[in-house]
Amino acid sequence: MGQGVSVAPGLSRSGITLSLMLLAGVEGLEALKWSYAMGIPAVLAAGLYGSLRAAGSFSLASVALGNAASLVAGLLSMEAMLKLVETLRYEFLAVLLGSLYLVLSIALV
């Protein structure tokens, strides 16, 4: 259900599924791992769709390089988030990152 609700504009798929799992009693790190795992099909489909759309405008090598860079960046960011959740309480991390997002979005407007 969370995946379906998250298609609404402005909602985070990961945030919705993670929040619902935490409310259901799943431990923070386990919930985060499941949230990432559930996102893999959506991210792969979006990447394939974007690659097919870009294929006419860019060379195959540049599209492949962009996809490889996206894969590496995604894996590194997931690993960093998992390490942060292992060392900090999830609630503190959510407030910290949310506050950082708000400050940066106001400062950069």
Side-chain angles (χ1 to χ4, degrees), residues 10-102:
L11 294 180
S12 163
R13 181 211 54 80
S14 180
I16 293 289
T17 56
L18 185 57
S19 296
L20 289 174
M21 283 190 278
L22 290 171
L23 287 172
V26 179
E27 187 249 324
L29 185 60
E30 193 65 26
L32 186 60
K33 287 179 182 179
W34 274 103
S35 178
Y36 285 154
M38 285 189 286
I40 290 172
V43 171
L44 287 175
L48 179 61
Y49 176 73
S51 295
L52 292 174
R53 288 195 53 161
S57 304
F58 300 98
S59 70
L60 181 60
S62 64
V63 171
L65 182 62
N67 282 332
S70 295
L71 173 66
V72 170
L75 291 174
L76 289 174
S77 65
M78 285 190 295
E79 185 65 28
M81 185 62 89
L82 289 171
K83 293 242 185 271
L84 277 172
V85 170
E86 285 176 355
T87 58
L88 299 172
R89 285 185 48 128
Y90 177 77
E91 297 84 0
F92 175 75
L93 183 62
V95 170
L96 178 70
L97 292 177
S99 300
L100 179 63
Y101 173 79
L102 288 174

